[in-house]
Amino acid sequence: MIARHRAAFWSPAQAAASLVQLAYLERSLAHILAGWAVKLPVFHAKLAFGLQMHRSMERATYLRGRVNGLCHAIAGEATVAAGLRTVLERIDRAQTPAELVAAIYRFLYPRLIALYQTHLRETDPDGDRASIELIRSFLPAMDEERRGGLSLAVGRADTRAWFRELEELWNGRSDGEPISLADGLWSPLDRVPGAVRPVGSRFSASGSLGLLPVDPVHDPRDIGIFLHKELDEEYTTLELMARNSYEHPDMPWAFHRDMARQASDEARHAIMIERLMAARGVRHGDFTLTTASYDGIYEFELCEPGSRKELLWRMLIRQTFMEGLAVDNLVYEIGRRRSAGQPDIAMVFEYILRDEVFHAQSGLRWSRELLGSDPQAVVQARDEALSYFTARAEAAREYFVMENLDAAMNELAAIEAGKERRGGKLPERPLNRTGRVQAGYTDDDIRQIVSWGYATDDKGRL
Amino acid sequence: MTKISELSLRKAFLLLTTAVAAVGVFVGLPVKKAVAATENSRMAPAGVVNQPTAQLLVVQPERINPSTVGLLKVADEALSNDALAEQIFSNPDAVASRYHLSKNETLVLRQMTREQFQVARDDAARVVATRQPYARSMHMPAFATNARLITERMVVGRAILAAVGRSYLNAANAHDCCPWNKAIELGLSGDPAFYNAVFVRPAGANMAQPGMTGPQ
């Protein structure tokens, strides 16, 4: 309830000071969630972090817009005190997932919600109406997030000493030098070269071809494998994009929005794929897991750890190469699922296709940004990154086969069975030119993927 | 790929491939038949250790009896029987029939070449020569320095690779599913020694990142 009869409300400067604090808290929360998603040992917690990372980033963006609106006329800049960063960085330094989840949902969320409510109470209901409307739209979702966070089963933590320490830091949040919203985050605290999975998980062996469905369209078991593989891709991509954001806090604000959106998209995709699996009696973990799309793309010997080049290669391989193939194949997949009487799978893929175009577009945008807006340099860098990546994979493959002759023969049997089913033909890989163009691929980009043999362009319009 | 990339990166990795194979297969690392990761390799960075205990059911697709015993037997005999070796190169189907090899084993047999046998012999001899000075002190099993056993495994392994296709693109086309997935697994769930070997910096690699930020 806004007390309109009050004589004095916050000034625009006070409102901006409150909003920038809220924006910083939300931005920092997105940063923490981005860093931790891959380290969580339970899948539903990864999903929650992926979804919430995006919401926090978007709230921070809206709030930042309001701060700018209140500061622009006087050429001012609202800042927060370094003490606020200290408490948030300390939360990021939690020792276990249980400590982290407790700190976010039992310590930070109540305080954040209270700060929002203070703003509602103290700001001018007419002068700062836009902020009030924003905050009112945020609060129900935040309440839901808090309740969801409290139910995450990531283990138990004795939080007494932990919360005492955080409380002390929180009380000093107004101390310290001023820091701006744009560059006020802390550097990444760690590197995580392998995606964490639940204890007891079983994995496809490195260098193997993983699960090999023979007939992923008609055979129920192979459809299950197909969906299972797809689900693993959603999780690993969520984790990789989140780390891209976390490990490069100095990238532009729009980059972090893109990474957060993609992490959230992947979480939604995972939820939809799990729905399809559940309808077919398949659970995640019924088959061996793969984390290759995180582990295999996280770091490269030719890129200094944490460097922009490493980030560039991750984006080139995952977003502009692999997700480009998804843009191609999903259209084909949607058609054959419809023909096979699987409208539920087709519909989910319709939604996923929409997002994949954005993901490829984002990868192209930021790759170009890192390469001086030179599309040709992107083509060249992709060639270099893919050449390294595929050579490394082929080395792993050779090692695996030499060490596992029987398993390699098993793979051969599955491949031959699939080939026989297709009448000796290779799988179809039609190019989706419309999707590629919508994503922003240039003719040179498209020519490259076709020349590598990963897609066929029957129309031959290049 | 462009020629520059072909020449620099591929060459570096062909060398690396050989090195990895040598480290893993021929220097006596324990064979990792199980696909499960060790707990340590799956853990998050220090401190992130409080994990639940969900035990997941593992179901691996089973197709046919994948044993390579028959192929190893043929390769072994061919190492000391030139006539058999020649027949493998000139008429593998007849050899397959004589040894009752399956259709898929026959596919592999067709990939065996004279050159492959010779390269395998040379590689195995080199591996044994490298190992022998340390064999006793390191308590290597006898087979670790058995050139014949090493050679026949190399022959069969490389023939399987040739039958399936060695390239990433071959792997991507191995099944009618999800081409946007990685085609070859590159998880950390394998042997850490292998991981370290794969990530060895190729000689002469340029790590400089012009205009790019450094590590944390």
Side-chain angles (χ1 to χ4, degrees), chain A residues 52 67 69 79 95 110-111 187 205 218 280 285 293 312 340 371 391 397:
Chain A
Q52 200 185 320
V67 172
T79 57
Q95 291 300 297
R111 285 159 181 78
S187 297
H218 304 101
R280 289 162 175 80
S293 290
L312 173 69
L371 290 166
R397 176 92 192 116

Side-chain angles (χ1 to χ4, degrees), chain A residues 245-363:
Chain A
S245 176
Y246 179 75
E247 294 178 11
H248 297 273
D250 53 341
M251 284 289 283
W253 188 279
F255 168 81
H256 297 287
R257 286 187 78 189
D258 279 3
M259 293 301 117
R261 178 191 153 174
Q262 183 164 350
S264 173
D265 288 348
E266 307 296 354
R268 287 188 300 101
H269 298 173
I271 292 166
M272 289 191 289
I273 297 286
E274 286 200 88
R275 204 171 65 202
L276 295 173
M277 286 166 60
R280 289 162 175 80
V282 180
R283 289 180 313 133
H284 198 196
D286 281 355
F287 303 104
T288 51
L289 303 183
T290 171
T291 52
S293 290
Y294 180 92
D295 301 6
I297 308 175
Y298 182 80
E299 60 188 3
F300 313 91
E301 190 53 43
L302 297 183
C303 302
E304 192 172 343
S307 66
R308 288 286 205 258
K309 183 175 179 183
E310 181 185 79
L311 172 65
L312 173 69
W313 279 28
R314 288 181 192 173
M315 293 192 296
L316 287 171
I317 295 171
R318 187 63 201 166
Q319 290 175 279
T320 79
F321 172 66
M322 292 178 174
E323 294 193 292
L325 295 179
V327 169
D328 291 335
N329 192 259
L330 281 167
V331 171
Y332 170 73
E333 197 66 47
I334 289 162
R336 71 173 181 172
R337 294 293 163 188
R338 280 217 187 92
S339 302
Q342 296 158 8
D344 56 340
I345 298 181
M347 190 59 77
V348 165
F349 282 4
E350 289 270 16
Y351 277 108
I352 293 178
L353 172 64
R354 268 67 179 174
D355 296 329
E356 293 300 332
V357 169
F358 163 73
H359 301 163
Q361 186 174 22
S362 157

